[in-house]
Amino acid sequence: MKQQLNYKMILATAIIVFFVSTNTMAQVPPAGKYNTTNYPEDRKAIEALGMLADSSAYLNDDYISVGAEGMVYYGRIQEENSFKKNDLKFKSLTPVQGTAILRIFDGKTAVSNAILNVVFSSPKGDLHVKVIRSATYVKQMGKWYIVYGQGTMVQTEAELEESIKKSLLKN
């Protein structure tokens, strides 16, 4: 048992060292790495949808999302109901400068990524979270739709280290 715990601690230390030793600038995409200028008209249409577009921007019930809390939602209505259930409303959404990337493939599929500062209002006060948001879009009959979205909460290195330790000690 003690040997297994030592193995887990060595593994945790190796993972932590890997993450801590990586350059923190890795959170910003490398300049010029991705094509962010092709299909200029499609870019305008996708960007006009916004990160939290109204329901007409979603492809009916063919939308799936994963919230920052880890829940999976099948359809935009189910996702919106989770906010209502928790009495949360989007108050503001601010992209972190230099983190947004929109890639378009063959003029029919697109993927966007950005780090966002999000503020929700609730009866208990404002809730501030930072997420890495990814969204997938498809073009059907000349119109762009959102078909997938995922927001992952950003952790500091200390929070990541603590999460890893807790996870490894559970096992």
Side-chain angles (χ1 to χ4, degrees), residues 32-87:
K33 180 170 180 163
Y34 302 103
N35 185 343
T36 58
T37 59
N38 63 345
Y39 304 100
E41 294 304 313
D42 289 310
R43 286 180 182 288
K44 289 177 190 173
I46 292 168
E47 289 168 358
L49 293 176
M51 285 297 213
L52 297 170
D54 68 46
S55 59
S56 68
Y58 296 87
L59 192 55
N60 300 321
D61 211 23
D62 202 7
Y63 172 74
I64 299 172
S65 70
V66 179
E69 80 291 353
M71 297 296 296
V72 178
Y73 302 102
Y74 299 98
R76 181 66 181 162
I77 293 170
Q78 191 179 42
E79 184 177 46
E80 289 171 353
N81 286 341
S82 75
F83 291 115
K84 289 176 187 172
K85 175 183 167 190
N86 293 302
D87 213 5

Side-chain angles (χ1 to χ4, degrees), residues 155 157-169:
Q155 293 182 315
E157 290 178 12
E159 290 168 332
L160 175 62
E161 184 177 327
E162 187 63 28
S163 294
I164 292 170
K165 282 181 186 177
K166 284 181 181 176
S167 177
L168 291 174
L169 290 178

